[in-house]
């Protein structure tokens, strides 16, 4: 079993709670405070172990497709079907083809379905950029945060 950094597990759990708090207290000061840091915290947690010198770009891309994009498309299709069924029940005209296209291109502003999952597309693109920087700037670590012991860029 891999060595775990338990404070990261705790930070992950706290970040999830902050997202819940941010969405639960819709019009309050709590939301304002939580929204200042909860998504940057998720990006920090996701990127901490991103730089792996032994991983090829192709392997990294495949790994991120499985762990980030596949869940995005999987849940996106489920949400499209759900909202399509709701629209039929309510008699609202919804373009399923347009929803699928918006899902494919990660169009966050298209509908409620895609605005829910925006984080996964953004995370995927950000991780590709940071991984590329890690790979091609080994001697210039200060460009991407300075810390790199084969486990982290940050």
């Amino acid at each position: 079993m891999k060595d775990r950094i338990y404070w990261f597990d705790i930070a992950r759990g706290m970040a999830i709670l902050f997202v819940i708090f941010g969405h639960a207290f819709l019009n309050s000061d709590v939301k304002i405070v939580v929204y200042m840091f909860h998504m940057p915290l998720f990006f920090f947690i996701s990127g901490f172990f991103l730089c792996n010198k032994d991983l090829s770009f192709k392997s990294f891309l495949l790994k991120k497709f499985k762990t980030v994009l596949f869940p995005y498309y999987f849940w996106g299709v489920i949400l499209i079907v759900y909202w399509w069924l709701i629209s039929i029940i309510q008699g609202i005209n919804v373009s399923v083809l347009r929803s699928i296209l918006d899902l494919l291109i990660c169009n966050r502003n298209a509908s409620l379905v895609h605005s829910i999952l925006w984080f996964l597309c953004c995370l995927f693109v950000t991780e590709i950029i940071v991984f590329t920087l890690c790979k091609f700037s080994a001697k210039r670590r200060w460009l991407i945060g300075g810390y790199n012991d084969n486990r982290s860029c940050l």
Side-chain angles (χ1 to χ4, degrees), residues 15-28:
I16 291 168
L17 289 175
F18 285 129
V19 169
I20 293 168
F21 291 151
H23 286 91
F25 300 103
L26 291 177
N27 293 319
S28 71

Side-chain angles (χ1 to χ4, degrees), residues 13 34 37 47 81-83 93 97 106 120 136:
V34 169
F37 67 89
V81 170
Y82 172 78
W83 287 112
N93 187 14
L97 184 60
C106 297
L120 292 173
F136 297 110

Side-chain angles (χ1 to χ4, degrees), residues 82-135:
Y82 172 78
W83 287 112
W84 176 69
L85 291 172
I86 295 295
S87 69
I88 289 173
I89 292 169
Q90 294 181 348
I92 300 169
N93 187 14
V94 173
S95 172
V96 174
L97 184 60
R98 180 65 197 184
S99 294
I100 292 170
L101 178 62
D102 289 334
L103 181 70
L104 288 174
I105 64 171
C106 297
N107 185 358
R108 178 181 180 205
N109 297 319
S111 69
L112 179 64
V113 171
H114 309 296
S115 66
I116 293 170
L117 300 172
W118 72 269
F119 173 73
L120 292 173
C121 280
C122 189
L123 180 66
F124 179 77
V125 171
T126 303
E127 286 185 337
I128 296 299
I129 292 168
V130 171
F131 184 81
T132 303
L133 287 172
C134 286
K135 281 299 206 187

Side-chain angles (χ1 to χ4, degrees), residues 28-85:
S28 71
D29 293 337
V30 173
K31 178 181 177 177
I32 294 168
V33 171
V34 169
Y35 269 49
M36 283 192 266
F37 67 89
H38 78 299
M39 293 317 291
L41 179 60
F42 266 111
F43 275 88
F44 175 79
I45 291 169
S46 297
F48 191 78
F49 299 104
L50 196 60
C51 286
N52 182 342
K53 290 181 181 180
D54 300 329
L55 201 60
S56 71
F57 185 76
K58 182 180 176 182
S59 298
F60 176 78
L61 200 57
L62 185 61
K63 178 183 174 186
K64 290 302 162 183
F65 181 81
K66 288 177 183 177
T67 60
V68 179
L69 280 187
F70 178 77
Y72 168 78
Y73 289 121
F74 177 81
W75 289 107
V77 167
I78 288 174
L79 287 168
I80 287 171
V81 170
Y82 172 78
W83 287 112
W84 176 69
L85 291 172

